[in-house]
């Protein structure tokens, strides 16, 4: 786990969760841009192809409000920096 991620919040953690940060032994990518900017996404156990495909994540703060989703893809289109997913836009 990257030491600079200590104290950061993981996507999907509840606001009242006692420790919403990264867990030892898990693999994370940083969400960059868009409504989820700065959160970490736990990709532990994801097959390599799913990481290349990126993720469409629920986000109440995106263009479509509650129930909307935000599309994040690996930086550099899947090559290079696999530790970051970059926002590509919001979908209903």
């Amino acid at each position: 786990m990257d030491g600079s991620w200590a104290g950061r919040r993981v996507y999907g953690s509840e606001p009242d969760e006692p420790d919403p940060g990264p867990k030892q032994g898990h693999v994370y990518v940083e969400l960059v841009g868009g409504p989820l900017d700065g959160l970490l996404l736990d990709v532990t156990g994801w097959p390599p192809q799913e990481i290349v495909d990126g993720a469409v994540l629920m986000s109440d703060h995106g263009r479509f409000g509650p129930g909307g989703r935000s599309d994040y893809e690996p930086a550099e289109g899947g090559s290079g920096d696999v530790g970051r997913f970059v926002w590509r836009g919001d979908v209903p």
Side-chain angles (χ1 to χ4, degrees), residues 1-11 13 17-24 28 38-40:
M1 177 169 52
D2 185 328
S4 67
W5 289 355
R8 303 264 306 267
R9 190 165 165 258
V10 175
Y11 170 81
S13 60
E17 200 169 315
D19 183 11
K23 309 284 188 256
Q24 197 73 312
Y28 297 93
L39 294 179
L40 301 176

Side-chain angles (χ1 to χ4, degrees), residues 63-74:
R63 177 177 174 199
F64 297 98
R69 297 168 291 167
S70 295
D71 183 12
Y72 284 85
E73 296 176 2

Side-chain angles (χ1 to χ4, degrees), residues 6-85:
R8 303 264 306 267
R9 190 165 165 258
V10 175
Y11 170 81
S13 60
E14 296 297 326
D16 60 348
E17 200 169 315
D19 183 11
K23 309 284 188 256
Q24 197 73 312
H26 288 237
V27 178
Y28 297 93
V29 294
E30 177 182 19
L31 300 175
V32 178
L36 303 175
D37 184 54
L39 294 179
L40 301 176
L41 177 65
D42 189 346
V43 295
T44 305
W46 285 28
Q49 185 57 50
E50 285 188 26
I51 292 174
V52 168
D53 291 343
V56 177
L57 306 169
M58 297 296 294
S59 173
D60 290 346
H61 303 290
R63 177 177 174 199
F64 297 98
R69 297 168 291 167
S70 295
D71 183 12
Y72 284 85
E73 296 176 2
E76 305 298 323
S79 63
D81 186 0
V82 295
R84 295 162 38 108
F85 277 10

